[in-house]
Amino acid sequence: MNYFNTNSSPIYKDIIILVVRLFIGFAMLSHGFPKLQMLLDGDEIKFMDFLGMGPKISLILTVFAEFVCSIFLILGLFTRISLGVLIFTMIIAAFVAHGADPFKEKEMSLLYLSVYLLLMAYGAGKIAVDHLIEKRRRASDW
């Protein structure tokens, strides 16, 4: 076995991308769901106003990113668009919300950011709704 070979079987790549999408998507849902509950509780919203549009709008945008876009990521639907939103959110989390904090406080958002960047580079893979849509679109072009 050649351990230095950088080529991989396409099916392994697609399975690994699926596993990473599922894990990172469900992991981020665990951050987004409490924020969704905070939004729906009806209590006064105390959340960082990172765009200067008020804490409620900032929370809504964060819930959209961390909850809705994570569901899209899990499904492999609108993957790159969702990843763009999630990447933006993790940049804000790491460098604005935790900008003055020590690395330990930024670490989680930077780890999410790095995985999102890798997924952005590789796409959703073949085990994704995006792939089914693209396959159907190509078939209808003929």
Side-chain angles (χ1 to χ4, degrees), residues 1-13 16 122:
M1 178 173 262
N2 183 355
Y3 293 104
F4 301 105
N5 185 356
T6 58
N7 296 325
S8 63
S9 169
I11 189 66
Y12 291 139
K13 181 181 133 195
I16 289 169
Y122 285 98

Side-chain angles (χ1 to χ4, degrees), residues 21-38 62-71 73-74 86 90 108 112 116:
R21 272 192 10 246
L22 292 174
F23 176 78
I24 205 75
F26 280 111
M28 182 52 73
L29 276 177
S30 73
H31 296 278
F33 187 70
K35 291 178 180 98
L36 176 62
Q37 288 179 312
M38 183 190 323
T62 303
V63 166
F64 175 76
E66 293 182 2
F67 191 78
V68 176
C69 289
S70 291
I71 291 171
L73 183 61
I74 290 165
L86 287 161
M90 290 304 104
M108 186 66 73
Y112 277 107
Y116 293 151

